[in-house]
Amino acid sequence: MRRTVILAVVAALGAGLLAGCAEDGEETAGGSAGDGGGGKGRTTITVGVFGAFGLKEAGLYDEYMKLNKHIEIKQTSIERNENYYPQLLTHLGTGSGLADIQAVEVNNIAEITATQADKLVDLGGTEGVSKDAFLPWKWAQATSRDGKTVGLGTDIGPQGICYRKDLFAKAGLPTDREAVGRLWAGDWDKYLAAGRQFKAKAPKGTAFVDSASGIMAAVTGSSAKRFYDENGEVVYKTNPAVKEAWDVAAAFATEGLTGRLQQFTPAWDQGYANGTFATVSCPAWMLGYIQDKSGAAGKGKWDVAPAPKPSNWGGSFLIVPKAGRNTTEAAKLAAWLTAPEQQAKLFEKRGSFPSAKAAYALPAVSGATHDYFGGAPIGEIFSRAAEGIPVTIVGPKDLVIAQNLADIGMLQVDQKGRSSEEGWKAAVKAIDNALDQ
């Protein structure tokens, strides 16, 4: 029996990418209370996160404390990762001010693994942790060159294509999700071709996709090699996969197939409300966001089809600093929080898709559908996508490169009418300055 997953609005921001609306955002990461610090003989475990991470909101801390009467869990949160992460690096450097467990966003895990592994507990051997339970690429992202697994994955962001059935029908395109998926199966150029078909009969005032930058992020997310090579060298300028992503996205922009929007802005939100674009690349965590911004009027009009190629956007990890006072208990808690059963609960209650493949067979995931999206079998769709995602090479400045390609380069092509070459040069200049090359 399928179960309907109600994705809370706040879950749309995902545990792994956008940090916002922290319930306890006024708090700052602090030190461990230490054994007995919880009072009444209990041990307090502190957990430092960014944004509305979801573990607390899903009730997992309460459940763990019921199972372990000697444990008290206290969470501190900093609203945005760009403020949280520099503090985490500083605290790791000084060995003070750290929570017993700290969250790490996927775009930062390579730097943490490469430069901070000696300050972190190797969680690979913790009781209850099984490498085989996780997706291989997720496990590899937090494993150092000498084989220490310093982070356990919480969630990932496998992507589909969310599309408006009503706009597809008016444009003469199929609306059934399997037929829609066949339009672009296996090739991002087929997605571009579908956009051209849509444009030929597009309802007035609508575009095929929301933004060129969104396309670029989705295409780069489907490649094993993006911005860095196996030796840790920055290669985005010469990597054919990045060139393909840039060219496809630029074609969407220059051919007038986008709504010329920037994602996560008020204008983008308004585009959902007014139904001005027909498709958007959507990780599992974005479904709640779409539901919120499209409102009641959008129910039943949206659906989800597989993306042209498996692709990932977002995800996070939990690490245990050696400087913490309760490393043994913290490692046990991190192992429990990231176990398949708990990840399935997090997906059911918060929409964060499991990084533990062992969770995909559990009813909360395998049977998940979404009423707002026409009863789409989101558990099946996103599980298939997750298992097809390549083992991506992540680098320490992935986020810097991705943001400048999107917000400096492609945005100029999409919104200001600059040529593809001009946009690329602007992005490269900004990235070079940021990386100080």
Side-chain angles (χ1 to χ4, degrees):
M1 179 178 176
R2 296 193 188 285
R3 301 174 64 183
T4 299
V5 173
I6 305 299
L7 302 178
V9 171
V10 71
L13 301 184
L17 183 68
L18 297 177
C21 306
E23 180 180 325
D24 47 357
E26 74 280 3
E27 299 180 53
T28 57
S32 165
D35 290 336
K40 300 180 180 180
R42 291 190 295 176
T43 297
T44 298
I45 304 297
T46 53
V47 183
V49 302
F50 50 89
F53 203 76
L55 301 173
K56 177 180 178 181
E57 294 84 349
L60 294 181
Y61 297 161
D62 288 341
E63 183 179 348
Y64 190 82
M65 287 188 285
K66 286 182 180 178
L67 294 171
N68 299 272
K69 302 294 187 185
H70 65 295
I71 294 295
E72 182 176 5
I73 302 171
K74 291 185 177 180
Q75 176 177 287
T76 62
S77 178
I78 293 177
E79 185 168 345
R80 300 194 67 83
N81 187 48
E82 54 261 45
N83 298 323
Y84 166 87
Y85 183 62
Q87 287 191 25
L88 174 59
L89 287 179
T90 299
H91 293 154
L92 284 169
T94 61
S96 64
L98 291 157
D100 293 305
I101 296 175
Q102 297 273 176
V104 177
E105 207 268 343
V106 64
N107 284 305
N108 303 125
I109 193 62
E111 186 171 27
I112 288 290
T113 303
T115 67
Q116 307 294 326
D118 62 328
K119 303 180 181 70
L120 304 175
V121 173
D122 181 356
L123 298 172
T126 303
E127 184 178 354
V129 173
S130 171
K131 176 181 178 181
D132 293 338
F134 288 85
L135 291 162
W137 59 268
K138 186 74 174 181
W139 183 269
Q141 285 179 334
T143 300
S144 64
R145 289 180 179 272
D146 59 357
K148 296 178 182 176
T149 300
V150 297
L152 297 177
T154 54
D155 66 311
I156 58 173
Q159 299 198 71
I161 299 293
C162 292
Y163 67 99
R164 288 273 303 233
K165 289 181 288 190
D166 56 329
L167 299 183
F168 266 45
K170 291 177 181 177
L173 294 177
T175 59
D176 174 77
R177 72 177 66 92
E178 291 188 7
V180 170
R182 286 195 293 271
L183 283 176
W184 47 66
D187 192 341
W188 288 103
D189 282 334
K190 292 182 179 178
Y191 185 49
L192 177 62
R196 292 168 178 147
Q197 283 185 263
F198 179 88
K199 185 183 178 184
K201 297 181 179 179
K204 185 177 180 181
T206 65
F208 184 61
V209 299
D210 61 322
S211 68
S213 295
I215 298 295
M216 183 172 62
V219 179
T220 54
S222 63
S223 299
K225 185 189 294 185
R226 302 182 303 169
F227 310 136
Y228 288 79
D229 68 9
E230 299 83 349
N231 300 315
E233 298 295 325
V234 176
V235 297
Y236 79 93
K237 294 179 187 176
T238 57
N239 182 2
V242 175
K243 181 68 165 50
E244 178 198 3
W246 180 273
D247 288 346
V248 170
F252 271 94
T254 57
E255 295 186 31
L257 304 180
T258 80
R260 299 183 175 181
L261 299 168
Q262 185 175 14
Q263 295 187 328
F264 303 104
T265 63
W268 193 56
D269 295 346
Q270 200 63 37
Y272 282 114
N274 296 334
T276 58
F277 53 85
T279 69
V280 60
S281 299
C282 56
W285 50 261
M286 193 184 285
L287 301 187
Y289 192 93
I290 294 172
Q291 179 177 346
D292 175 45
K293 301 305 177 185
S294 297
K299 185 175 182 180
K301 295 179 179 176
W302 284 99
D303 210 317
V304 190
K309 292 182 179 179
S311 175
N312 186 68
W313 182 5
S316 291
F317 297 81
L318 298 179
I319 62 172
V320 176
K322 290 179 180 176
R325 294 182 182 177
N326 302 300
T327 55
T328 300
E329 291 291 354
K332 290 179 183 176
L333 175 57
W336 186 85
L337 290 170
T338 56
E341 294 78 10
Q342 276 61 255
Q343 292 204 33
K345 295 171 189 172
L346 191 63
F347 173 63
E348 185 175 30
K349 296 180 180 179
R350 302 289 299 173
S352 300
F353 201 80
S355 64
K357 62 181 180 182
Y360 300 166
L362 300 176
V365 179
S366 64
T369 62
H370 203 306
D371 278 350
Y372 190 87
F373 289 80
I378 58 173
E380 294 178 17
I381 291 171
F382 290 116
S383 292
R384 285 200 299 270
E387 294 182 302
I389 294 170
V391 180
T392 303
I393 300 170
V394 291
K397 302 301 179 184
D398 270 7
L399 185 58
V400 171
I401 297 171
Q403 284 183 331
N404 280 288
L405 284 173
D407 297 340
I408 301 298
M410 190 54 66
L411 197 62
Q412 292 191 15
V413 180
D414 203 16
Q415 291 190 344
K416 297 182 178 179
R418 300 283 178 82
S419 70
S420 175
E421 292 75 16
E422 289 172 330
W424 177 259
K425 288 179 181 177
V428 169
K429 182 179 180 180
I431 294 168
D432 283 350
N433 289 336
L435 301 184
D436 195 25
Q437 290 185 341

